[in-house]
Amino acid sequence: MNVHDWLVNLPFSDPESNCKIVEVSFNNGSRKDYFRNTTVHFFEKGEMIAVEGVNGYDVGEVNATGELVRLQLKKHEIREEDPELKKILRRASETDLAKWAESKAREKEVLIRSRAVARQLKLELKMAEVEIQADGRKATFFYIADDRVDFRELIKIYASDFKVKVEMKQIGARQEAGKVGGIGSCGRELCCSTWLTDFKSVNTNAARYQNLSINQTKLSGQCGRLKCCLNYELDTYLDGLQNFPNDCDMLEMARSRAFLVKKDIFRNLMWYTMPDSTKQYPLTIERVLKIKALNKQGVRPEELEPVEVATKQPKEIEPEYVDLVGQISLRSLEKNSRKRRERGQQQQQPRRDDRARPNGPNQERGPRDEQRGPGGNQPNRPNQNRPQQNRPQQNRPQQNRPPQQRNPNQQRPPQNGGNQNNDNNNPPQQ
């Protein structure tokens, strides 16, 4: 628990008037106490010192000095001249720190054993923390209990098992959360573990006065109780609600009744709603009092006359976005896409020539068809590397296809299967 001493550099005309009381924290700040500095040394914040304990000594850390401690004493109603204040012995030596570290290492083991003993005795309490004095002569047990607990037998077992002087202290759920520590919903360290010392009761009326929704998960802290910060601004809200009338929960109108929804103390407006409408109408306090006076006379006004609520927040200007589509050119991608398109067109070209081959004499002939003979056969020439798709497909199994009608105008190939040029070379046989 870090404390900012904002009075540390305050100059004094009389050094003897400086506060002689030092605030010391124990067990990582879970407990604080005040000790009188009777030595000639000046202790700064963060130093480890040895102070008076119960039948021995204890080791703690200096938390605050000077005028800030004087203000804390005034807050806790402790007199600076109180003779019951314990004294500071010395700066902690290496032997004191070694003994203190050994005692702190026992605390976890003692806490586990103490919970087991309380469970065996069937006591309705929860052991929250154990703090052992630096010299190991005393142990303080902090417990939580809803009702009174008879722990006389428990103290006897603790004293015989742990060989220490036992002190029992009852704490609440808020103090337990302060000892455990954590981060609140606001993003900061818990108030109960940093600066809050007196824990006041918090009820749901504090949330209702501040127009907060009664949501248990949002209003509860890590201790399971209502958050302590609900009381911080409660006085401001109560002062603002003094100007609002208390008997104006319902207004009689000509068409129906108007019911109060909420009170806006920052704008001095009262919001009403009507059963036949889903809208909420903001009315000023003067208008509500006027309508209430008319209702007492038996008059029901026609209109509520709501006011216009203008927000002071400036309108957000939407940023203008520039359309850069088409202005960015990725040349490498364009070249690759252009090459793929050209390669695809070259592969599709021979297929298109095969599909466009003429089937009748009336269609135009291409350059490949002119090389064919009148019968449609190729002239005798050496075999060339032709694409597989242009070769005639033979020896295929006959499929069940419907008979096709032959075109009478189509020329029939000769029966001998040879070319017409071979007829002149081979005369007919007699």
Side-chain angles (χ1 to χ4, degrees):
M1 296 193 306
N2 191 14
V3 176
H4 177 66
D5 191 357
W6 51 279
L7 297 175
V8 65
N9 296 324
L10 186 66
F12 294 98
S13 59
D14 186 11
E16 296 297 330
S17 63
N18 192 14
C19 184
K20 301 296 183 181
I21 308 300
V22 178
E23 185 182 59
V24 184
S25 64
F26 301 92
N27 201 10
N28 295 328
S30 64
R31 180 175 66 88
K32 294 181 182 180
D33 206 346
Y34 299 94
F35 296 87
R36 188 184 305 278
N37 184 12
T38 57
T39 64
V40 296
H41 302 288
F42 177 77
F43 301 103
E44 295 182 357
K45 178 185 174 183
E47 285 188 294
M48 303 298 293
I49 58 176
V51 298
E52 289 182 347
V54 178
N55 297 330
Y57 69 93
D58 201 357
V59 175
E61 182 182 354
V62 177
N63 194 56
T65 58
E67 292 298 315
L68 186 63
V69 179
R70 186 168 287 170
L71 296 177
Q72 293 292 330
L73 293 175
K74 184 178 180 180
K75 177 182 177 182
H76 296 291
E77 298 180 355
I78 300 176
R79 294 187 299 108
E80 190 174 350
E81 298 81 10
D82 190 359
E84 295 182 1
L85 288 176
K86 295 181 180 181
K87 301 177 183 179
I88 297 176
L89 300 178
R90 59 188 179 274
R91 279 192 174 93
S93 61
E94 294 183 0
T95 306
D96 297 335
L97 295 177
K99 188 67 176 178
W100 171 73
E102 182 181 352
S103 301
K104 290 299 176 186
R106 291 181 54 199
E107 289 181 355
K108 186 177 295 184
E109 179 183 355
V110 172
L111 178 61
I112 296 174
R113 174 61 181 163
S114 63
R115 289 176 177 175
V117 173
R119 192 179 299 109
Q120 291 176 359
L121 297 178
K122 298 180 180 181
L123 298 178
E124 296 295 331
L125 60 87
K126 175 185 176 183
M127 203 63 62
E129 187 183 23
V130 176
E131 182 182 349
I132 301 178
Q133 196 169 271
D135 55 0
R137 297 182 180 181
K138 175 194 171 186
T140 305
F141 295 85
F142 299 92
Y143 69 95
I144 302 171
D146 296 333
D147 301 327
R148 296 188 63 180
V149 180
D150 185 9
F151 45 76
R152 288 176 294 182
E153 186 67 24
L154 184 67
I155 293 177
K156 294 179 182 180
I157 298 176
Y158 285 173
S160 61
D161 290 352
F162 306 134
K163 307 300 180 182
V164 293
K165 183 179 180 180
V166 179
E167 181 182 359
M168 304 291 292
K169 280 190 177 182
Q170 185 176 2
I171 61 175
R174 301 182 189 276
Q175 287 87 347
E176 181 191 11
K179 290 182 177 297
V180 174
I183 304 298
S185 58
C186 58
R188 301 185 62 180
E189 195 175 356
L190 297 179
C191 299
C192 54
S193 62
T194 51
W195 61 272
L196 193 62
T197 55
D198 52 339
F199 300 94
K200 299 180 180 179
S201 61
V202 185
N203 50 22
T204 56
N205 291 331
R208 292 192 178 94
Y209 287 139
Q210 302 177 46
N211 292 328
L212 298 176
S213 60
I214 309 301
N215 191 344
Q216 193 69 18
T217 57
K218 291 185 178 181
L219 298 180
S220 299
Q222 294 189 6
C223 58
R225 309 293 177 86
L226 293 177
K227 294 180 180 180
C228 299
C229 55
L230 292 176
N231 286 338
Y232 296 167
E233 299 178 355
L234 181 59
D235 296 338
T236 305
Y237 280 86
L238 293 177
D239 294 340
L241 290 173
Q242 291 180 359
N243 301 327
F244 287 82
N246 297 326
D247 56 344
C248 296
D249 295 340
M250 183 184 63
L251 301 178
E252 296 287 345
M253 304 303 296
R255 54 177 183 175
S256 62
R257 294 178 176 178
F259 298 93
L260 179 64
V261 179
K262 64 178 181 178
K263 299 177 182 179
D264 191 347
I265 67 172
F266 300 104
R267 297 177 181 175
N268 290 330
L269 296 177
M270 302 178 68
W271 294 75
Y272 285 86
T273 184
M274 306 186 76
D276 56 350
S277 177
T278 58
K279 296 182 180 180
Q280 294 182 359
Y281 303 95
L283 304 180
T284 61
I285 299 177
E286 293 78 9
R287 178 59 182 170
V288 172
L289 294 175
K290 185 177 180 180
I291 295 176
K292 195 66 178 178
L294 293 175
N295 292 155
K296 290 181 180 180
Q297 298 175 4
V299 179
R300 295 184 177 183
E302 295 289 337
E303 298 293 337
L304 286 172
E305 297 182 6
V307 297
E308 295 183 1
V309 179
T311 58
K312 296 182 180 180
Q313 297 180 356
K315 295 183 179 180
E316 297 182 358
I317 302 175
E318 297 183 358
E320 297 181 359
Y321 298 96
V322 181
D323 188 8
L324 298 178
V325 178
Q327 299 184 15
I328 300 176
S329 176
L330 302 178
R331 297 183 178 179
S332 59
L333 297 179
E334 290 180 356
K335 289 181 180 180
N336 295 337
S337 61
R338 191 183 302 111
K339 289 180 181 179
R340 285 195 295 268
R341 287 198 301 268
E342 292 176 357
R343 193 181 301 112
Q345 292 177 0
Q346 291 177 1
Q347 292 179 359
Q348 294 179 1
Q349 187 68 27
R351 296 180 182 178
R352 293 179 180 175
D353 294 344
D354 294 343
R355 293 177 183 176
R357 186 173 299 163
N359 294 328
N362 297 331
Q363 297 184 0
E364 297 181 358
R365 297 177 114 189
R368 294 186 180 181
D369 295 336
E370 292 179 356
Q371 298 177 3
R372 295 176 181 271
N377 295 331
Q378 292 284 349
N380 294 332
R381 57 183 179 180
N383 295 331
Q384 297 180 356
N385 295 330
R386 304 177 187 174
Q388 189 70 20
Q389 57 186 359
N390 293 338
R391 295 180 181 178
Q393 299 178 358
Q394 299 178 359
N395 300 331
R396 277 194 174 184
Q398 297 292 334
Q399 299 179 357
N400 297 330
R401 297 180 179 177
Q404 299 181 357
Q405 296 181 0
R406 182 174 296 176
N407 189 0
N409 297 330
Q410 186 176 1
Q411 235 178 359
R412 237 177 130 179
Q415 297 294 334
N416 55 5
N419 296 333
Q420 294 181 1
N421 298 333
N422 297 334
D423 294 342
N424 298 331
N425 300 331
N426 299 327
Q429 297 180 2
Q430 294 181 357

PDB file of all heavy atoms in Angstrom, residues 27 30-31 128-129 131 142 171 174-181 192-193:
ATOM      1  N   ASN A  27       2.802  -6.641   7.752  1.00  0.00           N
ATOM      2  CA  ASN A  27       2.210  -7.671   6.888  1.00  0.00           C
ATOM      3  C   ASN A  27       1.773  -7.082   5.550  1.00  0.00           C
ATOM      4  O   ASN A  27       0.619  -7.212   5.125  1.00  0.00           O
ATOM      5  CB  ASN A  27       1.026  -8.348   7.588  1.00  0.00           C
ATOM      6  CG  ASN A  27       0.732  -9.712   6.986  1.00  0.00           C
ATOM      7  OD1 ASN A  27       1.504 -10.227   6.188  1.00  0.00           O
ATOM      8  ND2 ASN A  27      -0.384 -10.300   7.394  1.00  0.00           N
ATOM      9  N   SER A  30      -1.375  -4.689   5.483  1.00  0.00           N
ATOM     10  CA  SER A  30      -2.707  -5.090   5.923  1.00  0.00           C
ATOM     11  C   SER A  30      -3.050  -4.540   7.309  1.00  0.00           C
ATOM     12  O   SER A  30      -4.218  -4.463   7.677  1.00  0.00           O
ATOM     13  CB  SER A  30      -2.822  -6.616   5.937  1.00  0.00           C
ATOM     14  OG  SER A  30      -1.917  -7.162   6.887  1.00  0.00           O
ATOM     15  N   ARG A  31      -2.042  -4.147   8.072  1.00  0.00           N
ATOM     16  CA  ARG A  31      -2.277  -3.554   9.391  1.00  0.00           C
ATOM     17  C   ARG A  31      -1.319  -2.390   9.596  1.00  0.00           C
ATOM     18  O   ARG A  31      -0.140  -2.477   9.224  1.00  0.00           O
ATOM     19  CB  ARG A  31      -2.081  -4.606  10.503  1.00  0.00           C
ATOM     20  CG  ARG A  31      -2.317  -4.070  11.903  1.00  0.00           C
ATOM     21  CD  ARG A  31      -2.224  -5.197  12.912  1.00  0.00           C
ATOM     22  NE  ARG A  31      -0.882  -5.759  12.996  1.00  0.00           N
ATOM     23  CZ  ARG A  31       0.075  -5.314  13.791  1.00  0.00           C
ATOM     24  NH1 ARG A  31      -0.149  -4.259  14.595  1.00  0.00           N
ATOM     25  NH2 ARG A  31       1.261  -5.888  13.824  1.00  0.00           N
ATOM     26  N   ALA A 128      -9.333 -16.136   8.296  1.00  0.00           N
ATOM     27  CA  ALA A 128      -8.936 -15.359   7.130  1.00  0.00           C
ATOM     28  C   ALA A 128      -7.436 -15.176   7.025  1.00  0.00           C
ATOM     29  O   ALA A 128      -6.849 -15.318   5.942  1.00  0.00           O
ATOM     30  CB  ALA A 128      -9.617 -13.980   7.160  1.00  0.00           C
ATOM     31  N   GLU A 129      -6.766 -14.878   8.139  1.00  0.00           N
ATOM     32  CA  GLU A 129      -5.340 -14.575   8.081  1.00  0.00           C
ATOM     33  C   GLU A 129      -4.715 -14.817   9.439  1.00  0.00           C
ATOM     34  O   GLU A 129      -5.393 -14.717  10.474  1.00  0.00           O
ATOM     35  CB  GLU A 129      -5.136 -13.111   7.658  1.00  0.00           C
ATOM     36  CG  GLU A 129      -3.683 -12.738   7.393  1.00  0.00           C
ATOM     37  CD  GLU A 129      -3.533 -11.267   7.045  1.00  0.00           C
ATOM     38  OE1 GLU A 129      -4.421 -10.479   7.428  1.00  0.00           O
ATOM     39  OE2 GLU A 129      -2.542 -10.910   6.398  1.00  0.00           O
ATOM     40  N   GLU A 131      -1.174 -13.655  11.576  1.00  0.00           N
ATOM     41  CA  GLU A 131      -0.006 -12.780  11.623  1.00  0.00           C
ATOM     42  C   GLU A 131       0.810 -13.122  12.856  1.00  0.00           C
ATOM     43  O   GLU A 131       0.318 -13.022  13.991  1.00  0.00           O
ATOM     44  CB  GLU A 131      -0.434 -11.312  11.664  1.00  0.00           C
ATOM     45  CG  GLU A 131       0.734 -10.338  11.663  1.00  0.00           C
ATOM     46  CD  GLU A 131       0.281  -8.899  11.741  1.00  0.00           C
ATOM     47  OE1 GLU A 131      -0.938  -8.651  11.592  1.00  0.00           O
ATOM     48  OE2 GLU A 131       1.145  -8.026  11.963  1.00  0.00           O
ATOM     49  N   PHE A 142      -7.080 -13.720  12.567  1.00  0.00           N
ATOM     50  CA  PHE A 142      -8.203 -12.910  12.093  1.00  0.00           C
ATOM     51  C   PHE A 142      -9.249 -13.859  11.505  1.00  0.00           C
ATOM     52  O   PHE A 142      -8.950 -14.640  10.586  1.00  0.00           O
ATOM     53  CB  PHE A 142      -7.733 -11.922  11.024  1.00  0.00           C
ATOM     54  CG  PHE A 142      -6.704 -10.937  11.510  1.00  0.00           C
ATOM     55  CD1 PHE A 142      -5.349 -11.197  11.385  1.00  0.00           C
ATOM     56  CD2 PHE A 142      -7.101  -9.744  12.098  1.00  0.00           C
ATOM     57  CE1 PHE A 142      -4.405 -10.288  11.825  1.00  0.00           C
ATOM     58  CE2 PHE A 142      -6.156  -8.828  12.554  1.00  0.00           C
ATOM     59  CZ  PHE A 142      -4.807  -9.100  12.410  1.00  0.00           C
ATOM     60  N   ILE A 171     -13.098  -9.831  12.116  1.00  0.00           N
ATOM     61  CA  ILE A 171     -13.170  -8.834  11.050  1.00  0.00           C
ATOM     62  C   ILE A 171     -14.367  -9.142  10.171  1.00  0.00           C
ATOM     63  O   ILE A 171     -14.983 -10.222  10.270  1.00  0.00           O
ATOM     64  CB  ILE A 171     -11.874  -8.821  10.205  1.00  0.00           C
ATOM     65  CG1 ILE A 171     -11.655 -10.180   9.546  1.00  0.00           C
ATOM     66  CG2 ILE A 171     -10.669  -8.412  11.045  1.00  0.00           C
ATOM     67  CD1 ILE A 171     -10.479 -10.221   8.595  1.00  0.00           C
ATOM     68  N   ARG A 174     -15.518  -6.973   4.327  1.00  0.00           N
ATOM     69  CA  ARG A 174     -14.799  -5.875   3.681  1.00  0.00           C
ATOM     70  C   ARG A 174     -13.339  -5.833   4.136  1.00  0.00           C
ATOM     71  O   ARG A 174     -12.438  -5.576   3.331  1.00  0.00           O
ATOM     72  CB  ARG A 174     -15.499  -4.555   3.992  1.00  0.00           C
ATOM     73  CG  ARG A 174     -16.958  -4.510   3.527  1.00  0.00           C
ATOM     74  CD  ARG A 174     -17.578  -3.159   3.819  1.00  0.00           C
ATOM     75  NE  ARG A 174     -19.007  -3.164   3.572  1.00  0.00           N
ATOM     76  CZ  ARG A 174     -19.554  -2.959   2.373  1.00  0.00           C
ATOM     77  NH1 ARG A 174     -18.793  -2.721   1.331  1.00  0.00           N
ATOM     78  NH2 ARG A 174     -20.871  -2.976   2.225  1.00  0.00           N
ATOM     79  N   GLN A 175     -13.086  -6.063   5.418  1.00  0.00           N
ATOM     80  CA  GLN A 175     -11.703  -6.104   5.893  1.00  0.00           C
ATOM     81  C   GLN A 175     -10.943  -7.282   5.291  1.00  0.00           C
ATOM     82  O   GLN A 175      -9.748  -7.179   5.009  1.00  0.00           O
ATOM     83  CB  GLN A 175     -11.658  -6.191   7.418  1.00  0.00           C
ATOM     84  CG  GLN A 175     -12.028  -4.904   8.138  1.00  0.00           C
ATOM     85  CD  GLN A 175     -13.526  -4.776   8.364  1.00  0.00           C
ATOM     86  OE1 GLN A 175     -14.308  -5.518   7.782  1.00  0.00           O
ATOM     87  NE2 GLN A 175     -13.920  -3.843   9.202  1.00  0.00           N
ATOM     88  N   GLU A 176     -11.642  -8.391   5.087  1.00  0.00           N
ATOM     89  CA  GLU A 176     -10.981  -9.538   4.463  1.00  0.00           C
ATOM     90  C   GLU A 176     -10.564  -9.220   3.034  1.00  0.00           C
ATOM     91  O   GLU A 176      -9.457  -9.566   2.597  1.00  0.00           O
ATOM     92  CB  GLU A 176     -11.913 -10.753   4.481  1.00  0.00           C
ATOM     93  CG  GLU A 176     -11.287 -11.993   3.873  1.00  0.00           C
ATOM     94  CD  GLU A 176     -12.303 -13.091   3.647  1.00  0.00           C
ATOM     95  OE1 GLU A 176     -13.504 -12.812   3.768  1.00  0.00           O
ATOM     96  OE2 GLU A 176     -11.885 -14.223   3.336  1.00  0.00           O
ATOM     97  N   ALA A 177     -11.441  -8.545   2.283  1.00  0.00           N
ATOM     98  CA  ALA A 177     -11.080  -8.155   0.922  1.00  0.00           C
ATOM     99  C   ALA A 177      -9.907  -7.190   0.916  1.00  0.00           C
ATOM    100  O   ALA A 177      -9.056  -7.223   0.017  1.00  0.00           O
ATOM    101  CB  ALA A 177     -12.288  -7.517   0.226  1.00  0.00           C
ATOM    102  N   GLY A 178      -9.839  -6.307   1.941  1.00  0.00           N
ATOM    103  CA  GLY A 178      -8.704  -5.399   2.037  1.00  0.00           C
ATOM    104  C   GLY A 178      -7.406  -6.134   2.308  1.00  0.00           C
ATOM    105  O   GLY A 178      -6.340  -5.739   1.818  1.00  0.00           O
ATOM    106  N   LYS A 179      -7.443  -7.209   3.087  1.00  0.00           N
ATOM    107  CA  LYS A 179      -6.239  -7.976   3.362  1.00  0.00           C
ATOM    108  C   LYS A 179      -5.810  -8.806   2.160  1.00  0.00           C
ATOM    109  O   LYS A 179      -4.602  -8.972   1.896  1.00  0.00           O
ATOM    110  CB  LYS A 179      -6.473  -8.888   4.570  1.00  0.00           C
ATOM    111  CG  LYS A 179      -6.591  -8.136   5.893  1.00  0.00           C
ATOM    112  CD  LYS A 179      -6.780  -9.085   7.050  1.00  0.00           C
ATOM    113  CE  LYS A 179      -6.814  -8.328   8.382  1.00  0.00           C
ATOM    114  NZ  LYS A 179      -5.541  -7.647   8.666  1.00  0.00           N
ATOM    115  N   VAL A 180      -6.790  -9.323   1.413  1.00  0.00           N
ATOM    116  CA  VAL A 180      -6.444 -10.108   0.226  1.00  0.00           C
ATOM    117  C   VAL A 180      -5.951  -9.202  -0.899  1.00  0.00           C
ATOM    118  O   VAL A 180      -4.970  -9.483  -1.578  1.00  0.00           O
ATOM    119  CB  VAL A 180      -7.661 -10.946  -0.230  1.00  0.00           C
ATOM    120  CG1 VAL A 180      -7.364 -11.654  -1.537  1.00  0.00           C
ATOM    121  CG2 VAL A 180      -8.027 -11.945   0.852  1.00  0.00           C
ATOM    122  N   GLY A 181      -6.636  -8.043  -1.093  1.00  0.00           N
ATOM    123  CA  GLY A 181      -6.245  -7.101  -2.134  1.00  0.00           C
ATOM    124  C   GLY A 181      -6.805  -7.497  -3.491  1.00  0.00           C
ATOM    125  O   GLY A 181      -7.405  -8.567  -3.679  1.00  0.00           O
ATOM    126  N   CYS A 192     -10.316  -0.481  -0.087  1.00  0.00           N
ATOM    127  CA  CYS A 192     -10.182  -1.063   1.247  1.00  0.00           C
ATOM    128  C   CYS A 192      -8.771  -1.546   1.523  1.00  0.00           C
ATOM    129  O   CYS A 192      -8.387  -1.701   2.690  1.00  0.00           O
ATOM    130  CB  CYS A 192     -11.171  -2.216   1.417  1.00  0.00           C
ATOM    131  SG  CYS A 192     -11.051  -3.472   0.122  1.00  0.00           S
ATOM    132  N   SER A 193      -7.981  -1.787   0.487  1.00  0.00           N
ATOM    133  CA  SER A 193      -6.611  -2.250   0.685  1.00  0.00           C
ATOM    134  C   SER A 193      -5.584  -1.139   0.522  1.00  0.00           C
ATOM    135  O   SER A 193      -4.386  -1.407   0.618  1.00  0.00           O
ATOM    136  CB  SER A 193      -6.294  -3.383  -0.302  1.00  0.00           C
ATOM    137  OG  SER A 193      -6.395  -2.920  -1.629  1.00  0.00           O
TER     138      SER A 193
END
